[in-house]
């Protein structure tokens, strides 16, 4: 981690992200499936925003729009006032699936972004530092099929972090980790975010995770997704899971998700 | 358990020591000794009975058989001190028995008692005679075949690969190439033979073209399907990390398609062998195919068998080479990688 800090010469500053009246739909067998309905969200530079919502409501779709992999049917998305028209390495995504390239070693997978941007030669130390950070230095020469699910997910996280993003987009990146690694990685994520200052947009199924990590929790409705609630989490870090303030919020959010009965 | 610890501690001195204990018990020495005896029997069968025909290499063959028998016996008994070579011999001992029995039977059934009709089934010494006395011509043929095959195959594989990547990547190129491919591709390349031989300036260039054609079709189709079936998720990841189209083609599409490409290269190799032999028989006045044709003209059956054996070794060698290359390049596919 020290090495990473050293390798970073100019700390990235987070970008603002504006989602303005975005609606999106997919065409399936001639029918139109509305997925996002008039979603508006203004995210300040350096904020940590968590998205919660029922499965299949359109969270990943919203992230694809933010990444610039798809264009919204209506509305606009802006990064620092500039309209998003395509992917850019300042907005890096950790997808729900790790999607490592099976023909590349762990090291080469992490180096992918730097290589694609043609700056790998001068930044090799960053790759080593990030691998160290996710605890996979000893697996640098392994191939993806030799990794466990959690390790693969950590490689995917390292592959994103190495690019020094202004906006880090995370689609359930910790979903496949065991609960111990998960808690450790959550702490890493928070300290990394605090130190680097990038804006973070995190999709998660886990209400508790959202509350431990985020400044702001956005609750989405069933498909087509609308914003149901926008909850500020005013608690200093590191946060404690037993915090009564967080438990209150948790009940509130579960109620919004229609799960009152379960707590 | 104890055998393993022995091998661990003495690894540098006698690497196979622990295995040999097991080998003695399982009778691996016995197989080697039997193999040696079988080859000695082959030698006896060569020298004991008089030949029914006029072959000049019977005695050399018999002596050769005894030398092989001696080597096998020595190798079997000294296997512990021969390292990898000893182990390799031990592994092949059953095959040595079978093959030795086969040549003995062959010798007896042809040269000695003519159970098989003679001119059509030459004895082993006749084939040995071809290899010693007709060597220059055979070597020339081998070189000519390799040259023709290599040229045509490399051209066909490169063109097929590039075409496959292009139509897999670009729908526009696919629009134009796909119908042509469907029309021409399934045609056996040999069907072009008559036309090719009078439209091309030389029979050599015509044959190169035909071999390239036979290779190119499967390589194109499989490269194409390989590129087309690459999961979009890989492109999404690369694009969000700042990849340009050239990176997507060279570093995503092609490596992901490589397993398919090798299937195409393998199929192309098979069909190009067929074209090579036919082209050499009909048009080109050189190569193993031509040698076969020539031998048939003189009713030189031993030469035909000799050429067939060489041809089979060459073809199987080419396929082995291709597989080795694949295993090297696609090491990420296998579950046995060590790092
Ligand atoms: N490429 C696509 N083509 C057609 N429909 C799609 C496509 N991608 C997503 N959908 C549909 O859009 C809806 C939302 O999908 P999305 O992946 O955004 O859900 P999600 O909220 O991320 O769910 P989960 O939490 O289970 O990951 C789903 O009903 C899905 O069927
Ligand atoms: Mg999703």
């Amino acid at each position: 981690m020290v090495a990473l800090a050293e390798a970073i010469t100019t700390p990235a500053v987070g970008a603002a992200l504006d989602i303005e009246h975005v609606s999106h739909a997919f065409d399936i067998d001639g029918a139109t499936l509305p997925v996002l309905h008039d979603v508006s969200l203004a995210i300040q530079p350096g904020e940590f925003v968590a998205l919660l919502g029922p499965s299949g409501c359109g969270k990943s779709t919203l992230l694809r729009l933010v990444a610039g992999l798809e264009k919204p049917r209506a509305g606009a998305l802006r990064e620092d006032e500039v309209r998003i028209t395509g992917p850019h390495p300042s907005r890096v995504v950790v997808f729900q699936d790790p999607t490592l390239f099976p023909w590349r070693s762990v090291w080469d997978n992490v180096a992918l972004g730097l290589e694609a941007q043609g700056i790998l030669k001068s930044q090799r130390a960053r790759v080593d530092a990030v691998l160290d950070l996710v605890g996979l230095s000893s697996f640098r020469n392994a191939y993806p099929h030799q990794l466990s699910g959690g390790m693969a997910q950590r490689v995917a996280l390292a592959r994103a972090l190495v690019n020094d993003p202004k906006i880090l987009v995370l689609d359930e990146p910790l979903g496949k980790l065991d609960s111990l690694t998960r808690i450790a990685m959550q702490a890493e994520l928070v300290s990394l975010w605090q130190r680097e200052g990038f804006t973070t947009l995190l999709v998660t199924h886990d209400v508790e995770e959202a509350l431990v990590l985020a400044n702001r929790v956005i609750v989405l409705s069933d498909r087509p997704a609308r914003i149901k609630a926008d909850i500020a989490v005013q608690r200093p870090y590191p946060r404690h899971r037993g915090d009564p303030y967080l438990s209150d919020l948790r009940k509130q959010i579960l109620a919004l998700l229609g799960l009152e009965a379960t707590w | 358990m104890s055998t393993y610890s022995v091998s661990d501690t003495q690894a540098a001195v006698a690497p196979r020591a622990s295995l040999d204990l097991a080998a003695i018990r399982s009778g691996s020495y016995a197989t080697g000794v039997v193999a040696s005896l079988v080859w000695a029997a082959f030698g006896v069968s060569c020298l004991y009975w008089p030949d029914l025909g006029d072959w000049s290499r019977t005695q050399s063959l018999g002596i050769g058989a005894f030398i092989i028998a001696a080597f096998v016996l020595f190798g079997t008994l000294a296997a512990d001190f021969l390292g990898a070579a000893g182990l390799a011999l031990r592994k092949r001992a059953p095959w040595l028995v079978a093959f030795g029995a086969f040549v003995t039977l062959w010798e007896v059934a042809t040269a000695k008692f003519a159970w098989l009709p003679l001119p059509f089934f030459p004895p082993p010494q006749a084939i040995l005679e071809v290899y010693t006395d007709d060597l220059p011509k055979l070597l020339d043929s081998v070189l000519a075949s390799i040259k023709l095959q290599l040229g045509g195959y490399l051209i066909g594989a490169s063109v097929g690969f590039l075409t496959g990547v292009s139509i897999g990547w670009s729908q526009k190129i696919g629009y134009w190439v796909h119908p042509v491919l469907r029309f021409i591709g399934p045609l056996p390349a040999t069907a072009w033979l008559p036309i090719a031989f009078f439209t091309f300036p030389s029979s050599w260039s015509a044959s190169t073209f035909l071999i390239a054609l036979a290779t190119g079709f499967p390589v194109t189709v499989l490269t194409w399907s390989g590129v087309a079936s690459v999961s979009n998720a890989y492109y999404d990841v690369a694009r969000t990390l700042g990849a340009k189209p050239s990176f997507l083609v060279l570093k995503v599409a092609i490596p992901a398609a490589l397993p398919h490409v090798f299937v195409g290269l393998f199929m192309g190799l098979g069909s190009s062998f067929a074209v090579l032999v036919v082209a050499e028989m009909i048009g080109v006045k050189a190569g193993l195919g031509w040698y076969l044709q020539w031998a048939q003209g003189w009713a030189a059956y031993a030469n035909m068998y000799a050429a067939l054996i060489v041809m089979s070794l060459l073809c199987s060698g080419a396929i082995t080479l291709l597989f080795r290359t694949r295993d090297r390049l696609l090491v990420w596919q296998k579950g046995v990688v060590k790092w």
Side-chain angles (χ1 to χ4, degrees):
Chain A
M1 270 160 71
V2 177
L4 181 70
E6 280 167 1
I8 294 165
T9 43
T10 49
V13 180
L17 178 66
D18 290 302
I19 300 170
E20 298 165 355
H21 304 289
V22 164
S23 296
H24 198 61
F26 289 108
D27 293 320
I28 299 178
D29 291 333
T32 305
L33 178 78
V35 175
L36 298 172
H37 180 75
D38 195 21
V39 175
S40 289
L41 188 62
I43 299 175
Q44 305 301 315
E47 251 188 325
F48 197 133
V49 176
L51 288 177
L52 280 171
S55 178
C57 75
K59 303 181 295 292
S60 297
T61 306
L62 184 59
L63 295 193
R64 287 180 67 81
L65 297 178
V66 170
L69 290 170
E70 257 167 83
K71 292 191 175 57
R73 296 254 170 123
L77 296 101
R78 291 176 208 281
E79 176 188 7
D80 276 343
E81 311 295 318
V82 182
R83 190 161 180 158
I84 293 172
T85 53
H88 190 274
S90 69
R91 279 169 274 121
V92 179
V93 189
V94 179
F95 291 91
Q96 204 161 357
D97 253 6
T99 341
L100 301 181
F101 289 26
W103 56 89
R104 287 177 159 246
S105 67
V106 166
W107 198 93
D108 288 331
N109 263 288
V110 174
L112 189 79
L114 301 177
E115 191 183 328
Q117 296 158 50
I119 52 172
L120 178 60
K121 272 220 172 85
S122 56
Q123 307 270 310
R124 301 181 70 88
R126 280 192 66 90
V127 180
D128 298 326
V130 175
L131 270 177
D132 219 19
L133 178 74
V134 296
L136 289 174
S137 297
S138 54
F139 283 87
R140 62 210 309 278
N141 295 325
Y143 283 98
H145 70 81
Q146 298 165 317
L147 303 178
S148 72
M151 284 155 82
Q153 200 60 266
R154 272 143 70 196
V155 175
L157 192 61
R159 181 173 63 186
L161 291 175
V162 80
N163 295 287
D164 214 351
K166 292 188 166 181
I167 300 179
L168 184 61
V169 179
L170 303 164
D171 198 349
E172 298 182 46
L174 310 181
K176 281 187 183 160
L177 301 185
D178 65 280
S179 54
L180 292 179
T181 318
R182 197 179 163 112
I183 290 171
M185 288 297 291
Q186 286 171 354
E188 285 294 353
L189 206 57
V190 166
S191 69
L192 208 69
W193 163 69
Q194 286 183 314
R195 200 172 53 224
E196 309 284 321
F198 46 70
T199 309
T200 308
L201 187 57
L202 168 82
V203 164
T204 174
H205 272 136
D206 181 349
V207 180
E208 196 165 86
E209 182 172 277
L211 290 170
V212 167
L213 295 178
N215 300 132
R216 227 172 126 186
V217 177
I218 310 290
V219 182
L220 296 172
S221 71
D222 258 326
R223 192 184 57 234
R226 286 169 293 100
I227 294 186
K228 233 180 180 178
D230 184 342
I231 299 160
V233 187
Q234 286 151 340
R235 245 358 190 206
Y237 298 91
R239 291 175 179 164
H240 301 286
R241 272 146 230 277
D243 188 334
Y245 172 83
L246 296 183
S247 315
D248 273 357
L249 279 182
R250 182 165 170 268
K251 284 178 198 167
Q252 211 177 313
I253 292 170
L254 284 174
L256 282 166
L257 291 170
L259 296 167
E260 302 93 318
T262 53
W263 51 269
Chain B
M1 267 328 285
S2 61
T3 50
Y4 278 99
S5 59
V6 167
S7 82
D8 285 342
T9 48
Q10 302 185 342
V13 188
R16 309 292 174 199
S18 63
L19 288 171
D20 291 338
L21 294 174
I24 293 169
R25 270 181 242 120
S26 68
S28 272
Y29 278 110
T31 318
V33 172
V34 171
S36 168
L37 286 176
V38 171
W39 280 90
F42 176 46
V44 169
S45 77
C46 285
L47 301 179
Y48 181 71
W49 291 289
D51 281 345
L52 291 180
D54 180 23
W55 295 292
S56 62
R57 300 286 168 191
T58 310
Q59 202 156 11
S60 324
L61 188 65
I63 294 169
F66 281 121
I67 292 175
I68 293 177
F71 260 107
V72 172
L73 189 64
F74 169 76
T76 304
L77 298 181
D80 308 356
F81 309 99
L82 292 176
L87 202 72
L89 179 72
R90 174 159 296 153
K91 227 173 85 185
R92 285 169 183 74
W95 257 108
L96 279 171
V97 174
F99 190 60
F102 170 73
V103 282
T104 310
L105 200 66
W106 179 13
E107 175 70 26
V108 173
T110 53
K112 305 304 179 186
F113 298 101
W115 295 330
L116 295 168
L118 248 188
F120 310 110
F121 294 93
Q125 53 264 48
I127 287 169
L128 182 65
E129 196 176 324
V130 174
Y131 288 138
T132 52
D133 298 10
D134 204 22
L135 189 64
K137 192 145 137 221
L138 203 55
L139 272 185
D140 279 351
S141 302
V142 167
L143 284 181
S145 283
I146 290 180
K147 213 173 111 201
L148 187 58
Q149 167 71 21
L150 206 62
Y153 185 72
L154 289 182
I155 294 172
S158 321
V159 172
F161 178 73
L162 291 177
T163 315
V165 171
S166 313
I167 58 182
W169 184 256
S170 154
Q171 294 204 335
K172 247 183 232 155
I173 300 177
Y175 174 83
W176 290 106
V177 176
H178 187 200
V180 179
L181 201 64
R182 284 183 72 157
F183 185 66
I184 294 179
L187 208 60
T190 38
W192 291 88
L193 263 170
I195 298 178
F197 274 122
F198 68 77
T199 46
F200 275 79
S202 64
S203 58
W204 185 78
S205 56
S207 315
T208 304
F209 167 75
L210 293 177
I211 291 169
L213 197 66
T215 309
F217 177 60
V219 175
T220 306
V221 172
L222 276 137
T223 307
W224 168 33
S225 84
V227 170
S229 66
V230 177
S231 158
N232 272 325
Y234 292 132
Y235 295 128
D236 284 349
V237 167
R239 284 172 64 209
T240 57
L241 294 174
K244 290 168 202 58
S246 62
F247 187 93
L248 295 183
V249 176
L250 296 175
K251 298 287 179 93
V252 182
I254 290 177
L258 224 45
H260 289 255
V261 175
F262 270 102
V263 177
L265 286 172
F266 171 67
M267 288 166 59
L269 202 55
S271 50
S272 66
F273 286 151
V275 177
L276 172 77
V277 174
V278 175
E280 283 176 343
M281 282 181 171
I282 293 183
V284 192
K285 291 275 168 283
L288 283 170
W290 167 79
Y291 188 95
L292 274 177
Q293 185 86 345
W294 167 85
Q296 194 200 18
W298 289 94
Y301 293 97
N303 297 58
M304 287 166 65
Y305 286 103
L308 268 183
I309 292 171
V310 172
M311 206 185 266
S312 134
L313 289 178
L314 283 177
C315 293
S316 117
I319 288 176
T320 308
L321 200 66
L322 183 71
F323 278 23
R324 289 270 161 81
T325 315
R326 182 200 62 178
D327 289 348
R328 276 196 88 99
L329 278 175
L330 302 189
V331 84
W332 52 269
Q333 261 200 327
K334 301 201 299 184
V336 293
V337 193
K338 295 260 161 62
W339 73 88

